Amino acid sequence: MTRRQLTHAQWKFIEPYLPIGRYGPYPERLREQFEGVIWRFRSSGQWREMPAEFGPWATVYGRFRVWRDAGVFSALLEGLIAEGARAGQSDLSLVSVDSTTVRAHRDAADMRVSKHLMDALEEAAQEQETARRKGGGPEGHNGQAERRRIRRRRKLRLKEALLGRSRGGLTSKLHLAADRRCRPLALVLTAGQAGDSPQFIPVLARVRVRLPVGRPRSKPGAVAADKAYSSRGNRTYLRKHGIKSVIPEKKDQAAHRKKKGTRGGRPVIYDADLYKERNTVERPIDKLKAWRGIATRYDKSPESYLAGVHLRAAMIWIDDLLKTTN
């Protein structure tokens, strides 16, 4: 018999966010199905291998897809963040940003893409490729054109699945922001070869803490990140929004600035003591990857994997709220 995935205290936080239709499922079956979803991401087992106490695997998988498409898992995370704000446990004095690479299983690379979407993507990619060639040179022999088309369709399928190919194989990259108490606030999924710095602003734009009264709070007091996020655009964004920047400068950027002399501008100054607390984003990464279905991506669609990440982040918030209330 499989151990219980949820305690009664944890279920009290989750139950209000699960929709119940007119014809079911019954509340007790609802909890069993939700625990089946947790079992799948915690153990990284296949849906078909799900223990019988969670119900038929096809029913649990179908329920997961309904919840995923309805945005239940992201709403659960947002609601728990708001619950922490109502309890006076919200802390946006310092938000740390970082990313982690997730190895993708080979089964995750076989996402189905509709023919209409694939044809549209291929047409756009072919136009870009033609524009890059000088003067729009010839396509070459029929065999070369066909091989080029096959490679292009393969790359487009991986791009649509948010998978990147590197020396380590197929990977995705998870970008996240965390508060001072090591709790995830925002999550963004990209392909594995995507850079960290371009995702800095999109991650911060997803930070939203709903308050009991008024508009959601989305402006942290300070943002800490490593040198990978050191860029003029990121610092300009923080300065424009009145957010303190705790990002050190890269050595090559400092050398380039000194080479310009007085035209290079002022040196970058950051709070070294606040920078020491940047581990508050590395620790939730370890907590997220404690679930084997999050540490390795087995899901073909990025929506399914991101739903599992939101579920794991919500469980981190529930555990923290239970510790502070008890």
Side-chain angles (χ1 to χ4, degrees):
M1 181 177 179
T2 307
R3 62 186 175 92
R4 300 290 294 185
Q5 305 296 317
L6 291 173
T7 63
H8 295 294
Q10 291 174 332
W11 176 245
K12 288 182 180 179
F13 282 101
I14 298 172
E15 187 177 12
Y17 295 93
L18 299 183
I20 300 178
R22 180 182 300 179
Y23 301 106
Y26 297 107
E28 60 271 13
R29 295 182 183 176
L30 194 70
R31 177 172 176 175
E32 292 173 357
Q33 294 170 3
F34 195 86
E35 289 188 357
V37 175
I38 293 179
W39 174 89
R40 193 269 172 184
F41 283 100
R42 175 177 283 172
S43 65
S44 72
Q46 296 183 359
W47 291 99
R48 295 175 182 270
E49 298 175 351
M50 184 171 296
E53 54 259 34
F54 300 126
W57 72 267
T59 303
V60 178
Y61 175 63
R63 190 66 57 186
F64 165 72
R65 293 183 60 183
V66 171
W67 289 336
R68 178 201 65 189
D69 297 339
V72 170
F73 299 103
S74 58
L76 173 62
L77 176 59
E78 186 177 350
L80 291 171
I81 295 175
E83 187 73 23
R86 285 192 294 269
Q89 301 174 16
S90 175
D91 187 2
L92 289 182
S93 59
L94 176 66
V95 171
S96 301
V97 179
D98 204 351
S99 67
T100 179
T101 301
V102 180
R103 181 74 179 270
H105 194 266
R106 64 178 184 179
D107 293 340
D110 193 22
M111 189 185 78
R112 295 181 180 178
V113 181
S114 63
K115 185 178 183 301
H116 176 72
L117 178 59
M118 178 58 71
D119 293 341
L121 292 173
E122 184 181 4
E123 183 179 356
Q126 189 173 5
E127 291 177 357
Q128 293 178 358
E129 184 178 346
T130 304
R132 282 197 302 266
R133 289 199 304 268
K134 294 182 179 180
E139 282 284 339
H141 300 293
N142 293 334
Q144 295 178 357
E146 180 64 20
R147 288 194 295 270
R148 189 181 296 113
R149 188 185 71 86
I150 293 175
R151 289 195 299 267
R152 184 166 56 241
R153 292 177 70 91
R154 187 183 298 118
K155 290 180 180 179
L156 289 174
R157 184 176 284 107
L158 292 177
K159 182 179 180 181
E160 191 69 17
L162 296 182
L163 289 173
R165 191 178 296 276
S166 61
R167 290 181 298 176
L170 296 176
T171 56
S172 294
K173 183 173 285 188
L174 189 63
H175 310 262
L176 72 155
D179 64 0
R180 218 163 189 166
R181 300 179 62 170
C182 306
R183 300 174 299 188
L185 293 173
L187 299 158
V188 173
L189 184 67
T190 62
Q193 79 278 8
D196 293 346
S197 184
Q199 302 302 323
F200 180 77
I201 297 177
V203 170
L204 290 181
R206 292 175 179 264
V207 175
R208 286 171 51 88
V209 179
R210 293 204 314 263
L211 302 175
V213 180
R215 294 182 298 177
R217 185 182 177 188
S218 59
K219 177 182 173 181
V223 174
D226 57 20
K227 293 182 179 180
Y229 297 91
S230 176
S231 71
R232 182 178 300 176
N234 292 340
R235 289 193 173 88
T236 302
Y237 173 84
L238 296 177
R239 183 169 57 252
K240 181 179 178 180
H241 290 79
I243 303 173
K244 184 178 181 180
S245 174
V246 190
I247 305 175
E249 188 179 22
K250 293 182 179 180
K251 290 184 179 180
D252 59 337
Q253 293 177 352
H256 186 65
R257 174 179 50 78
K258 293 178 181 178
K259 187 177 180 180
K260 288 185 175 181
T262 56
R263 295 180 302 168
R266 298 178 180 178
V268 175
I269 300 175
Y270 68 98
D271 193 332
D273 293 331
L274 277 181
Y275 186 74
K276 293 178 182 179
E277 299 186 31
R278 197 181 60 83
N279 62 84
T280 53
V281 70
E282 296 174 351
R283 282 186 277 174
I285 289 177
D286 292 339
K287 293 180 181 179
L288 287 172
K289 289 191 171 183
W291 284 14
R292 300 175 65 181
I294 305 299
T296 303
R297 176 178 167 180
Y298 295 91
D299 301 278
K300 293 181 175 62
S301 67
E303 294 82 8
S304 296
Y305 177 75
L306 195 56
V309 176
H310 283 138
L311 173 59
R312 176 55 181 148
M315 295 303 299
I316 294 175
W317 270 90
I318 291 176
D319 293 340
D320 184 80
L321 291 174
L322 289 176
K323 289 179 182 178
T324 54
T325 54
N326 293 337

